[in-house]
Amino acid sequence: QVQLVESGGGSVESGGSLSLSCAVSGYPYPIDCMGWFRQLPDKTREAVATIDNLEMTYYADSVKGRFTISKDNAKNTLYLQMNSLKPEDSAMYYCATADDRVYCVHPQVYDFGVWGQGTQVTVSS
């Protein structure tokens, strides 16, 4: 059974850092595209960053230069290093996978079929 489990969320002051992890299990084949999304208080879910099987990355404009996505294939784990956090980064963060690396280029929620349960990030001013 395919499963994604996020961890690493928490509360931090503005300007601080957090590192999120997403443990992946149950995939019988390499994953073409993985990403981090966040759900805002108004329930809008937006793409934060993606990485494909060729290590190509995408970042939302709002996080460029502050967040870094990476993965460790040996550990089957996806990461999101978040630096210089702002209060507007507060959200529930989810990892997700898609079946084709093309979905990593302009990530849309509906293109990602498997999701984790989420981890909360709260940034105070």
Side-chain angles (χ1 to χ4, degrees):
Q1 181 179 355
V2 174
Q3 191 173 19
L4 307 178
V5 179
E6 302 95 337
S7 61
S11 297
V12 65
E13 291 186 351
S14 182
S17 299
L18 283 173
S19 181
L20 305 184
S21 298
C22 174
V24 181
S25 62
Y27 266 93
Y29 47 82
I31 302 171
D32 287 341
C33 173
M34 300 185 70
W36 288 97
F37 290 75
R38 62 188 180 189
Q39 184 161 309
L40 304 176
D42 66 359
K43 304 303 182 184
T44 302
R45 194 170 290 194
E46 63 179 18
V48 175
T50 65
I51 185 167
D52 68 17
N53 56 344
L54 300 180
E55 307 287 330
M56 298 289 287
T57 58
Y58 156 91
Y59 293 96
D61 288 343
S62 58
V63 306
K64 282 181 181 176
R66 301 188 299 121
F67 290 11
T68 302
I69 189 171
S70 63
K71 61 190 175 91
D72 186 329
N73 292 326
K75 296 182 178 180
N76 292 323
T77 302
L78 178 72
Y79 303 99
L80 185 68
Q81 178 64 42
M82 305 185 295
N83 299 326
S84 302
L85 282 162
K86 305 175 181 179
E88 51 264 42
D89 294 319
S90 297
M92 183 72 80
Y93 283 72
Y94 298 87
C95 64
T97 64
D99 291 338
D100 195 303
R101 58 187 295 264
V102 68
Y103 299 130
C104 269
V105 178
H106 298 291
Q108 302 293 326
V109 171
Y110 51 76
D111 287 327
F112 286 72
V114 181
W115 294 78
Q117 83 290 347
T119 186
Q120 180 68 40
V121 171
T122 302
V123 185
S124 59
S125 57

